[in-house]
Amino acid sequence: MPTRRLPPTRQATESAAADAAALRTAREQRDAEVRGVASIAAMRDAIKAAARALPVLADVPCTGALDAAAFRARAAQGLPFLMRGAAARWPLAALTVQSLREHYSDLPVRARVGDYVGTAFAPDRAMQDMSLLAYLDLVAAGTQGLPPYLGNLELRALNRLCHWPNFFDKMGPPRFWLGPAGTVTPLHCDYDDNIFAQLWGSKRICLAPPHHDEFLYPSEANAILFGSPFDPEAPDYERFPLARQAAVIDCTVGPGDMLYVPAGWYHQVRSLTFSLSSNRWARAVPLALGNR
């Protein structure tokens, strides 16, 4: 006869909640120390306050490649911009899918599978561990619904093929994003400056400013990451009427392009073709805040 499991007592539930709150507080304190700010909440508020003075963009401005000084001066304005061809000469940009099969087939990866859009900010999002070769075979076989996606992976074997400029004083490790057309990272914001390099293929990226979170129904995944259920590519204004007021713009990033996404800017990313991208987040006070 199977053992019947009793529901947790009130005391156990309260203890678990207290432990979770303590872990969250400790993480936020570590995040604040790494970035050199008094608190993450204060940093978020400062980012949104600064954004209220920004001009409304009709589209994402474009430049060529910039050196570190020119990049920082432009980023201090607090607006996204696209640097055409800035990563075109990276060795990784010259590789192909066949190159990955031949030289990196045994690389361990973790694929997003199933409804990874609907569960994007849930702790139990469906993931599947496999080799890079198995992932490429899975993509080649085709699937119904969302195609499997390698997202936000630290693939150190590929790092040496990237030539990241020193745009930020402190940068997190490169993260890699690989998948066919139709892979999606749903609307969200990170409260860190972000430099995004498109290496193969093209992606559509929708953006909205930080202070328009009041129109985007966000929920907190952690102190640095907030997700939105609103889809700017297929807007449902009956469910999300306030989203009509959000100033959403979009751009297409192509091979060799680099996009600067300032801290707090909401963004949604969709692969238009088979695509390889990499990004790095700053681990410092956002450039738009200057010395504040």
Side-chain angles (χ1 to χ4, degrees), residues 6 25 43 55 84 137 149 157 223 233 244 285:
L6 297 176
T25 298
M43 184 181 75
R84 294 289 188 192
D137 287 343
Y149 193 19
E233 296 181 290
R244 292 182 184 275
V285 177

mmCIF file of all heavy atoms in Angstrom, residues 6 25 43 55 84 137 149 157 223 233 244 285:
data_model
loop_
_atom_site.group_PDB
_atom_site.id
_atom_site.type_symbol
_atom_site.label_atom_id
_atom_site.label_comp_id
_atom_site.label_asym_id
_atom_site.label_seq_id
_atom_site.Cartn_x
_atom_site.Cartn_y
_atom_site.Cartn_z
ATOM 1 N N LEU A 6 1.585 13.502 3.800
ATOM 2 C CA LEU A 6 0.790 14.537 4.434
ATOM 3 C C LEU A 6 1.204 15.907 3.905
ATOM 4 O O LEU A 6 2.360 16.115 3.524
ATOM 5 C CB LEU A 6 0.987 14.490 5.951
ATOM 6 C CG LEU A 6 0.524 13.204 6.640
ATOM 7 C CD1 LEU A 6 0.877 13.257 8.120
ATOM 8 C CD2 LEU A 6 -0.978 13.011 6.448
ATOM 9 N N THR A 25 17.524 37.754 -0.692
ATOM 10 C CA THR A 25 18.202 38.936 -0.150
ATOM 11 C C THR A 25 19.711 38.818 -0.300
ATOM 12 O O THR A 25 20.390 39.781 -0.681
ATOM 13 C CB THR A 25 17.830 39.127 1.327
ATOM 14 O OG1 THR A 25 16.418 39.339 1.438
ATOM 15 C CG2 THR A 25 18.558 40.317 1.924
ATOM 16 N N MET A 43 19.053 50.943 -8.082
ATOM 17 C CA MET A 43 19.585 51.036 -9.435
ATOM 18 C C MET A 43 18.455 50.948 -10.466
ATOM 19 O O MET A 43 18.424 51.718 -11.437
ATOM 20 C CB MET A 43 20.610 49.930 -9.679
ATOM 21 C CG MET A 43 21.301 50.012 -11.038
ATOM 22 S SD MET A 43 22.485 48.655 -11.309
ATOM 23 C CE MET A 43 21.347 47.281 -11.623
ATOM 24 N N PRO A 55 14.416 60.917 -25.494
ATOM 25 C CA PRO A 55 13.528 61.171 -26.629
ATOM 26 C C PRO A 55 12.867 59.876 -27.081
ATOM 27 O O PRO A 55 13.383 58.780 -26.845
ATOM 28 C CB PRO A 55 14.481 61.702 -27.705
ATOM 29 C CG PRO A 55 15.807 61.093 -27.354
ATOM 30 C CD PRO A 55 15.843 61.041 -25.857
ATOM 31 N N ARG A 84 26.831 48.438 -37.382
ATOM 32 C CA ARG A 84 26.853 47.557 -38.543
ATOM 33 C C ARG A 84 28.278 47.034 -38.794
ATOM 34 O O ARG A 84 29.234 47.798 -38.831
ATOM 35 C CB ARG A 84 26.364 48.301 -39.784
ATOM 36 C CG ARG A 84 24.900 48.716 -39.739
ATOM 37 C CD ARG A 84 23.966 47.541 -39.863
ATOM 38 N NE ARG A 84 22.555 47.956 -39.998
ATOM 39 C CZ ARG A 84 21.537 47.114 -39.899
ATOM 40 N NH1 ARG A 84 21.753 45.834 -39.657
ATOM 41 N NH2 ARG A 84 20.298 47.553 -40.027
ATOM 42 N N ASP A 137 21.348 17.560 -35.114
ATOM 43 C CA ASP A 137 20.533 16.507 -35.747
ATOM 44 C C ASP A 137 19.057 16.704 -35.423
ATOM 45 O O ASP A 137 18.184 16.489 -36.280
ATOM 46 C CB ASP A 137 20.992 15.130 -35.276
ATOM 47 C CG ASP A 137 22.330 14.705 -35.885
ATOM 48 O OD1 ASP A 137 22.735 15.311 -36.905
ATOM 49 O OD2 ASP A 137 22.963 13.780 -35.335
ATOM 50 N N TYR A 149 16.100 25.263 -28.980
ATOM 51 C CA TYR A 149 16.936 26.461 -28.970
ATOM 52 C C TYR A 149 18.057 26.289 -27.960
ATOM 53 O O TYR A 149 17.827 25.869 -26.826
ATOM 54 C CB TYR A 149 16.060 27.656 -28.589
ATOM 55 C CG TYR A 149 16.651 29.027 -28.812
ATOM 56 C CD1 TYR A 149 17.723 29.255 -29.661
ATOM 57 C CD2 TYR A 149 16.100 30.126 -28.155
ATOM 58 C CE1 TYR A 149 18.225 30.533 -29.859
ATOM 59 C CE2 TYR A 149 16.595 31.416 -28.355
ATOM 60 C CZ TYR A 149 17.667 31.605 -29.205
ATOM 61 O OH TYR A 149 18.160 32.876 -29.403
ATOM 62 N N ALA A 157 34.509 26.765 -25.444
ATOM 63 C CA ALA A 157 35.280 26.351 -26.612
ATOM 64 C C ALA A 157 35.160 27.359 -27.755
ATOM 65 O O ALA A 157 36.036 27.425 -28.618
ATOM 66 C CB ALA A 157 34.810 24.982 -27.081
ATOM 67 N N ALA A 223 16.054 39.897 -9.224
ATOM 68 C CA ALA A 223 16.194 41.347 -9.090
ATOM 69 C C ALA A 223 16.727 42.016 -10.348
ATOM 70 O O ALA A 223 16.506 43.212 -10.575
ATOM 71 C CB ALA A 223 17.102 41.675 -7.913
ATOM 72 N N GLU A 233 5.102 41.303 -31.274
ATOM 73 C CA GLU A 233 4.953 40.870 -32.667
ATOM 74 C C GLU A 233 3.537 40.401 -32.973
ATOM 75 O O GLU A 233 3.153 40.344 -34.141
ATOM 76 C CB GLU A 233 5.947 39.749 -32.963
ATOM 77 C CG GLU A 233 7.394 40.182 -32.862
ATOM 78 C CD GLU A 233 8.343 39.058 -33.195
ATOM 79 O OE1 GLU A 233 8.433 38.109 -32.382
ATOM 80 O OE2 GLU A 233 8.974 39.106 -34.250
ATOM 81 N N ARG A 244 -0.829 49.371 -25.414
ATOM 82 C CA ARG A 244 -0.986 50.327 -26.523
ATOM 83 C C ARG A 244 -0.103 51.553 -26.305
ATOM 84 O O ARG A 244 0.265 52.239 -27.258
ATOM 85 C CB ARG A 244 -2.448 50.764 -26.639
ATOM 86 C CG ARG A 244 -3.407 49.687 -27.095
ATOM 87 C CD ARG A 244 -4.817 50.261 -27.224
ATOM 88 N NE ARG A 244 -5.799 49.245 -27.568
ATOM 89 C CZ ARG A 244 -6.065 48.841 -28.810
ATOM 90 N NH1 ARG A 244 -5.407 49.388 -29.829
ATOM 91 N NH2 ARG A 244 -6.969 47.914 -29.047
ATOM 92 N N VAL A 285 27.941 49.743 -12.887
ATOM 93 C CA VAL A 285 26.880 50.761 -12.966
ATOM 94 C C VAL A 285 26.558 51.007 -14.426
ATOM 95 O O VAL A 285 27.474 51.223 -15.238
ATOM 96 C CB VAL A 285 27.326 52.061 -12.287
ATOM 97 C CG1 VAL A 285 26.249 53.136 -12.432
ATOM 98 C CG2 VAL A 285 27.648 51.834 -10.827
#
